[in-house]
Amino acid sequence: MSKPDSNVLIAESEIQRRVGELAAQISADYAGKGELVLVGVLKGAFIFLADLSRRLTIPRVVEFIAVSSYESGSASSGAVRLVMDMRESIEGKHVLVVEDIVDSGHTMHYLMEMLNTRGAASVRACALLQKSGCAKVDVNIDYLGFHIADEWVVGYGLDYAEQDRTLPDIRVIQPED
Ligand code: IMP
Ligand code: MG
């Protein structure tokens, strides 16, 4: 799929450096607040969550959820559906949603609304990437790795038609490739 290394947008070393910074910030912010529930959004966040969770210095547990967007033709309608819920209750817990990328914001907005109805002590958002100028709904990302331009990216958990998720870095692809 994506062959040329010249398409690398964010190098592996740069990702790892930034993940370390985010982990330090999150560890400082939640220190002394009890166990943090990290909620990874499948599939795209699985590598980011693996790296981030291992670098935290606070008590934490890992949960996963999966969502899907209703598509109308090629454009997303903005409606999001929960296709897999987490196993444990988050009542009274501090929760951090961990996403790969925020584009229109619909997915993160839906998740924050849904989790906020479940009696958590707090719900915050962490995303590795956010596409600039793409927001259709306003959603605050408490911990953000990088802003990127409006291009399709793959690697480090992100895919194009299920390809290229396991690349160690983040690359831009042209869908016609
Ligand atoms: P949103 O609901 O429009 O913010 O879209 C967020 C979701 O779309 C992410 O969780 C990804 O699954 C997917 N997505 C958006 N842009 C990209 C991309 O450039 N590469 C891979 N997945 C993407
Ligand atoms: Mg995703």
Side-chain angles (χ1 to χ4, degrees), residues 15 41-49 51 99-101 128-129 152-160 162-171:
I15 297 170
V41 185
L42 294 173
K43 296 176 188 174
F46 82 114
I47 292 178
F48 177 40
L49 178 60
D51 285 347
E99 243 300 32
D100 52 356
I101 186 166
L128 181 68
L129 306 172
W152 198 266
V153 290
V154 295
Y156 200 67
L158 293 103
D159 74 310
Y160 175 66
E162 294 299 327
Q163 301 303 301
D164 295 333
R165 274 194 206 280
T166 56
L167 292 171
D169 45 25
I170 290 172
R171 302 183 194 187

Side-chain angles (χ1 to χ4, degrees), residues 46-120:
F46 82 114
I47 292 178
F48 177 40
L49 178 60
D51 285 347
L52 184 74
S53 62
R54 288 182 295 176
R55 296 179 77 158
L56 295 174
T57 57
I58 49 168
R60 69 278 192 191
V61 293
V62 170
E63 292 284 341
F64 287 100
I65 53 176
V67 292
S68 83
S69 303
Y70 289 103
E71 302 287 327
S72 59
S74 59
S76 170
S77 63
V80 181
R81 182 169 59 103
L82 187 69
V83 296
M84 190 195 89
D85 206 343
M86 64 190 102
R87 296 193 177 186
E88 303 295 328
S89 165
I90 55 167
E91 203 174 336
K93 304 276 182 68
H94 291 289
V95 173
L96 184 62
V97 177
V98 180
E99 243 300 32
D100 52 356
I101 186 166
V102 176
D103 184 354
S104 70
H106 285 300
T107 303
M108 190 60 99
H109 179 77
Y110 167 84
L111 290 173
M112 300 301 280
E113 296 270 293
M114 183 198 69
L115 295 174
N116 268 311
T117 66
R118 295 187 179 185

Side-chain angles (χ1 to χ4, degrees), residues 4-35:
D5 281 3
S6 57
N7 288 341
V8 172
L9 181 67
I10 310 174
E12 184 176 4
S13 58
E14 181 70 358
I15 297 170
Q16 293 302 328
R17 186 192 61 75
R18 188 73 185 116
V19 171
E21 288 177 356
L22 291 172
Q25 171 90 61
I26 293 163
S27 297
D29 290 355
Y30 288 92
K33 293 191 173 175
E35 192 175 73

